[in-house]
Amino acid sequence: MKKSPSFVSHRNRLESVVEQGVPDNGDTPPSSKTITVALAGQPNVGKSTVFNVLTGLNQHVGNWPGKTIEQKVGTCHYEDTTVTIVDLPGTYSLSANSPEELIAREYIICEQPDVVAVIINAAALERNLYLLAELLALPSPVVVGLNMVDVANHEGMKVEPEVLQAALGVPVVSMVATRNEGVGDLVEAIVRLAVGDLPYEPKVPEIRPDHKDVLAELRALCDGHVPEPYPPEWVALKLLEGDREVTRTMEAHLPDAIWLKVHAVLRAHEDAVVDVAGGRYEWIGRMTRAALVRPRVGQVTFTDRLDRVATHPLWGLLLLAGMLGVVFGLTYTIGMPLQDWLDTAVIGGLADLAGNLLSKAPVWLRSLVIDGVLGGAGMVVTFLPILLIFFAVLGLLEDMGYMARAAYVMDRFMHLMGLHGKSFMPLFLGFGCSVPAVVGTRIIESRRARLLTVLLAPLVPCSARMAVLALLAPAFFGPAAPLVSWGLILLSLLVLALSGVVLNRVLFRGRRAAFIMELPLYHLPNWRTIGLLVWQRTVEFLKKAGTIILAISVLIWAFSRLPYGEVETSLLAGLGRLLAPVGGLMGLDWRMMVALLTSFVAKENSVATLGVLFGSAEFTVGGGSGQLTELLRSTLTPAAGLAFLTVQMLFIPCAATVAAIRQETGSWKWVGLSMGFLLVVSFGTAIGIYQLAGLVGV
Amino acid sequence: MVPLSELHVGEVGVVQVLSGGRGVVSRLAALGFTPEAEVRVMQNFGRGPLIVSVRDTRIALGRGEAGKIRVLKKEAVR
């Protein structure tokens, strides 16, 4: 018999979940009373609010092993019981349509939590119960948290929890998590269900009569071959649904002769997936018939009214532009000055302090601390105020339900690049910093669209690039600088759009991911949820800055010092000289090329490097210097200056972003592709501009 | 039977058949686009994505995806 590699690796993955800090109740003595709960739910049901209310700051954010999908684990207490809560990814179903769905069901099947608590949005009861219909086919007992009851009432719907509980045969707890109502009742129900203190007689959905025989046939064929701990009944059902993962696993576990029979049965019932789903919805219809009172037909709700503007092709775009304007406004009025202050006062102050403390230390050590650590990783940290603004505003818009509308409005434009609206959010984050932009591509379901967005994200001018632009454009162009700056930002976006169109054609042959996205109801923001989100994103960013960004900064610093301790004679300068012929095509000498290369540590470094190479030692990253301006103007023609700024805007991103790309794509191949692509695009565009300027005689 | 993308704003269609790849069909079915489900078109400008309402949920659909859902037009209720 063939062995399934996928099954073995699932097991390993889940074991490492336990190592990461999920106390496995199987290993602890029964007297300590620890239970494990998996928190399930569809997207937009307020699940993260429930999780946050339950666990507060008592939570651990990591990744699901081997995945870039966030995993949150937390604990709370009920009387003398410790409840470990594992927050499953938000999923509409438990089919293997996305990695999230796979993670959720693998966790429940393999880890067998004591209870699964499924959070349900009362305002979209039928669709939400679909997940419950799937969960009831798995072994763990289920509690239903009927959330957002207030939103449902607002939409004119009435749900009777007692009636629903009687129909389903599972405990149903009514709650409004944003107001902390009913969350305690949910914990109580979880703990009581875990110890068998609550009645539990679920009415498990059955398959439609016309598919009963096929299901039984599949079940019989697979008998004795289904790997533990998968329930055979569930495996047969998933086979009938055409589930990719289960089909693959069973193909590996079944003897060839039986697999051929199974395959033939499945071929004859290829359309069963819709019927199985339809059967679940029929079951849902029966369950909710008595419990749900709907509004009058045609009642115009609050969400409908807002959406007339927010999703309109013209007004929606203007609204979005206005919101982005606010973000940029905040960035310029609050973020940039704070960043500047952190840079000059804090990082500059620390550099002075380090200089004094290390005055007797070897020169290389002083340089390592000041230029490598503080100038690289420290520099990245100064952008935190700008990121905080982005995180907070985007978190607020997301929590209110607006972000899906922004994605919808932008879909028309993203469509041209073979992407859909969802890619807009991470790309927008890129104006703040490319690192969270790359990390933010996680929300995109299709791997193809995600990779394309990762490739494009560095072309969004980040705030560090814009800071360099703001510093150097006046040096080359004096009063015309603002015009040139805006032109270059527009050029970056144009290059991004063109790259998207081309990359989509070349790499992905123009295929386009399906655009199916829920537009949640608008609701008042929950400050706690937003606050925690901002906090977690910030911690994640700082962790990166302290680890991988720090390591790469130091590495690049070493290249810029070795072997003789001078930038001019370093390995990096050698590389700059090698690149001089390419630089010649855009009117740049080796010094400009080295400045460009050092921007790999942090974008601002190109300014500092220019200061060093042009012998203007007082010129530091944060402060201005008239001397450098003079030197640059006398060395470079305006055309070469424009070419330098162009290549600077489009060049490979900083080391921090490269590290993020590596993490998100999970392969060096994609990192290499991204770097190669950006090198070609940045040099190509800059050479084109320089030559064009030469032709028109600038 | 017409593709959902051909319905106008306010019109209601009853889902008949889903076509397309298994992944898309499975996702659509899970969201409630199953035979006999009623879908109301909330926004359709003739090009670009649509907004429809199915089972109390507003869902944005690409025009391509909406074309894969074939519906029977129901006489307007209002």
Side-chain angles (χ1 to χ4, degrees):
Chain A
M1 203 201 335
K2 286 164 280 183
K3 193 136 178 57
S4 160
S6 75
F7 175 65
V8 173
S9 64
H10 287 324
R11 193 71 222 180
N12 289 345
R13 251 185 260 156
L14 289 158
E15 270 159 13
S16 50
V17 175
V18 175
E19 282 158 26
Q20 282 197 348
V22 188
D24 186 5
N25 62 316
D27 298 339
T28 45
S31 60
S32 75
K33 274 202 188 168
T34 303
I35 63 167
T36 304
V37 179
L39 197 61
Q42 295 193 342
N44 307 311
V45 298
K47 184 160 73 73
S48 47
T49 305
V50 174
F51 183 74
N52 289 337
V53 170
L54 282 173
T55 62
L57 283 173
N58 203 357
Q59 49 178 274
H60 167 88
V61 184
N63 277 352
W64 289 92
K67 303 268 177 180
T68 52
I69 294 159
E70 203 169 70
Q71 182 205 43
K72 291 189 197 161
V73 180
T75 51
C76 72
H77 298 273
Y78 175 77
E79 290 174 355
D80 57 347
T81 309
T82 304
V83 184
T84 300
I85 303 166
V86 179
D87 191 22
L88 299 178
T91 58
Y92 289 106
S93 69
L94 293 179
S95 310
N97 290 322
S98 69
E100 285 84 359
E101 290 169 321
L102 207 55
I103 285 174
R105 76 182 194 194
E106 289 297 317
Y107 181 81
I108 295 170
I109 293 173
C110 298
E111 284 306 301
Q112 299 180 358
D114 298 287
V115 173
V116 174
V118 58
I119 306 302
I120 275 177
N121 176 355
L125 189 63
E126 287 193 0
R127 197 206 64 216
N128 272 262
L129 285 176
Y130 190 85
L131 184 61
L132 176 70
E134 290 236 56
L135 286 169
L136 289 178
L138 300 179
S140 293
V142 183
V143 175
V144 174
L146 183 69
N147 195 23
M148 300 172 87
V149 176
D150 55 336
V151 180
N153 290 345
H154 202 253
E155 294 285 313
M157 278 178 232
K158 278 257 174 300
V159 184
E160 304 282 349
E162 297 83 13
V163 182
L164 190 63
Q165 172 167 306
L168 291 169
V170 307
V172 175
V173 179
S174 172
M175 38 198 282
V176 181
T178 50
R179 293 205 299 256
N180 200 356
E181 289 171 20
V183 180
D185 301 340
L186 180 70
V187 183
E188 188 188 336
I190 287 169
V191 174
R192 287 181 57 197
L193 185 65
V195 296
D197 198 16
L198 279 183
Y200 188 72
E201 286 145 6
K203 309 238 176 29
V204 180
E206 282 185 15
I207 193 152
R208 277 185 184 168
D210 47 343
H211 281 97
K212 233 173 197 154
D213 294 342
V214 194
L215 189 68
E217 191 184 350
L218 286 173
R219 168 86 172 76
L221 282 169
C222 296
D223 202 31
H225 297 287
V226 177
E228 284 287 321
Y230 293 86
E233 192 73 31
W234 179 82
V235 166
L237 186 64
K238 283 290 155 190
L239 278 176
L240 193 59
E241 280 186 82
D243 187 286
R244 239 176 308 127
E245 286 299 314
V246 171
T247 310
R248 204 178 297 157
T249 307
M250 287 317 292
E251 187 179 357
H253 277 82
L254 284 172
D256 290 342
I258 300 182
W259 168 248
L260 284 176
K261 280 186 206 161
V262 169
H263 192 64
V265 173
L266 295 180
R267 283 287 294 276
H269 294 89
E270 268 186 333
D271 56 341
V273 57
V274 178
D275 289 329
V276 173
R280 291 196 185 110
Y281 273 111
E282 280 168 16
W283 173 81
I284 290 167
R286 289 197 298 278
M287 295 298 114
T288 55
R289 195 164 296 144
L292 176 65
V293 182
R294 286 173 185 289
R296 288 178 289 119
V297 178
Q299 188 176 338
V300 179
T301 64
F302 176 65
T303 293
D304 289 332
R305 270 197 293 269
L306 256 182
D307 267 352
R308 278 188 196 152
V309 175
T311 61
H312 189 276
L314 179 62
W315 307 132
L317 217 52
L318 289 178
L319 183 70
L320 178 61
M323 301 225 191
L324 304 192
V326 170
V327 176
F328 283 124
L330 286 172
T331 304
Y332 278 104
T333 52
I334 302 172
M336 293 283 205
L338 267 176
Q339 189 270 330
D340 207 37
W341 176 79
L342 279 178
D343 181 16
T344 44
V346 178
I347 299 292
L350 282 173
D352 288 345
L353 186 69
N356 288 336
L357 286 177
L358 296 170
S359 58
K360 302 233 168 52
V363 179
W364 67 265
L365 183 62
R366 209 158 62 216
S367 169
L368 168 68
V369 173
I370 295 173
D371 303 326
V373 176
L374 289 171
M379 194 67 215
V380 173
V381 173
T382 62
F383 283 88
L384 195 58
I386 295 173
L387 284 181
L388 281 177
I389 292 171
F390 273 76
F391 290 154
V393 177
L394 294 187
L396 173 73
L397 295 178
E398 173 85 56
D399 193 58
M400 290 171 71
Y402 174 73
M403 275 323 257
R405 273 75 185 182
Y408 174 77
V409 170
M410 286 307 289
D411 186 67
R412 285 157 214 270
F413 303 97
M414 308 307 284
H415 202 130
L416 298 171
M417 295 183 257
L419 295 173
H420 60 62
K422 276 195 183 175
S423 294
F424 169 72
M425 301 180 222
L427 288 180
F428 178 68
L429 210 50
F431 282 108
C433 174
S434 304
V435 174
V438 170
V439 176
T441 58
R442 288 174 191 179
I443 57 159
I444 303 163
E445 296 109 3
S446 118
R447 177 168 166 81
R448 190 194 62 80
R450 198 162 54 229
L451 287 171
L452 186 52
T453 313
V454 167
L455 287 181
L456 295 178
L459 288 171
V460 179
C462 70
S463 48
R465 285 188 209 247
M466 290 205 250
V468 178
L469 188 64
L471 227 53
L472 287 182
F476 294 126
F477 299 102
L483 199 68
V484 174
S485 302
W486 276 111
L488 282 171
I489 290 171
L490 282 180
L491 177 78
S492 301
L493 296 179
L494 194 71
V495 169
L496 183 149
L498 283 175
S499 305
V501 173
V502 173
L503 281 176
N504 182 44
R505 291 272 158 77
V506 175
L507 283 180
F508 305 113
R509 277 161 286 160
R511 270 176 301 159
R512 185 171 180 274
F515 181 47
I516 306 169
M517 184 180 65
E518 181 189 352
L519 299 179
L521 296 172
Y522 291 105
H523 53 88
L524 288 175
N526 181 264
W527 300 111
R528 205 183 152 110
T529 305
I530 300 168
L532 264 168
L533 187 89
V534 172
W535 167 250
Q536 281 158 1
R537 295 280 171 276
T538 305
V539 168
E540 188 181 21
F541 179 77
L542 288 178
K543 258 190 205 158
K544 270 214 177 77
T547 52
I548 186 131
I549 295 178
L550 180 67
I552 295 187
S553 298
V554 169
L555 191 73
I556 302 292
W557 168 85
F559 274 112
S560 72
R561 296 285 145 171
L562 292 173
Y564 306 114
E566 299 285 331
V567 178
E568 291 87 334
T569 53
S570 69
L571 292 169
L572 206 61
L575 193 59
R577 287 197 173 85
L578 273 179
L579 285 173
V582 185
L585 291 174
M586 42 191 159
L588 303 176
D589 64 12
W590 69 272
R591 290 175 298 187
M592 303 304 283
M593 296 309 279
V594 172
L596 194 61
L597 289 176
T598 52
S599 77
F600 186 57
V601 179
K603 288 291 146 192
E604 297 72 7
N605 278 16
S606 52
V607 183
T609 309
L610 285 177
V612 174
L613 293 179
F614 282 85
S616 160
E618 309 97 90
F619 193 94
T620 52
V621 183
S625 162
Q627 209 188 347
L628 181 68
T629 304
E630 295 300 313
L631 280 166
L632 282 176
R633 260 193 210 167
S634 61
T635 323
L636 294 178
T637 63
L642 190 61
F644 181 75
L645 290 179
T646 305
V647 73
Q648 200 276 135
M649 290 297 277
L650 303 174
F651 197 59
I652 49 175
C654 63
T657 309
V658 175
I661 293 176
R662 167 71 183 90
Q663 261 181 7
E664 295 306 313
T665 60
S667 89
W668 286 109
K669 192 191 94 189
W670 282 98
V671 176
L673 186 76
S674 166
M675 300 303 105
F677 162 71
L678 289 168
L679 276 179
V680 170
V681 166
S682 58
F683 284 148
T685 313
I687 291 170
I689 282 183
Y690 180 71
Q691 299 293 341
L692 203 68
L695 281 179
V696 296
V698 178
Chain B
M1 207 161 59
V2 292
L4 181 58
S5 49
E6 283 178 19
L7 261 56
H8 297 109
V9 174
E11 286 184 327
V12 176
V14 180
V15 177
Q16 305 294 311
V17 185
L18 302 183
S19 55
R22 173 150 271 165
V24 175
V25 168
S26 166
R27 278 178 67 194
L28 287 172
L31 280 172
F33 294 95
T34 55
E36 286 167 54
E38 289 191 3
V39 186
R40 174 185 287 268
V41 175
M42 312 291 282
Q43 193 185 87
N44 186 355
F45 284 94
R47 48 191 217 92
L50 294 79
I51 301 178
V52 302
S53 171
V54 63
R55 301 187 193 272
D56 304 320
T57 310
R58 285 159 190 76
I59 291 174
L61 283 178
R63 189 150 289 271
E65 286 69 50
K68 286 172 183 150
I69 304 171
R70 299 185 73 82
V71 299
L72 266 185
K73 210 190 285 186
K74 202 176 159 189
E75 288 314 308
V77 187
R78 276 189 289 175

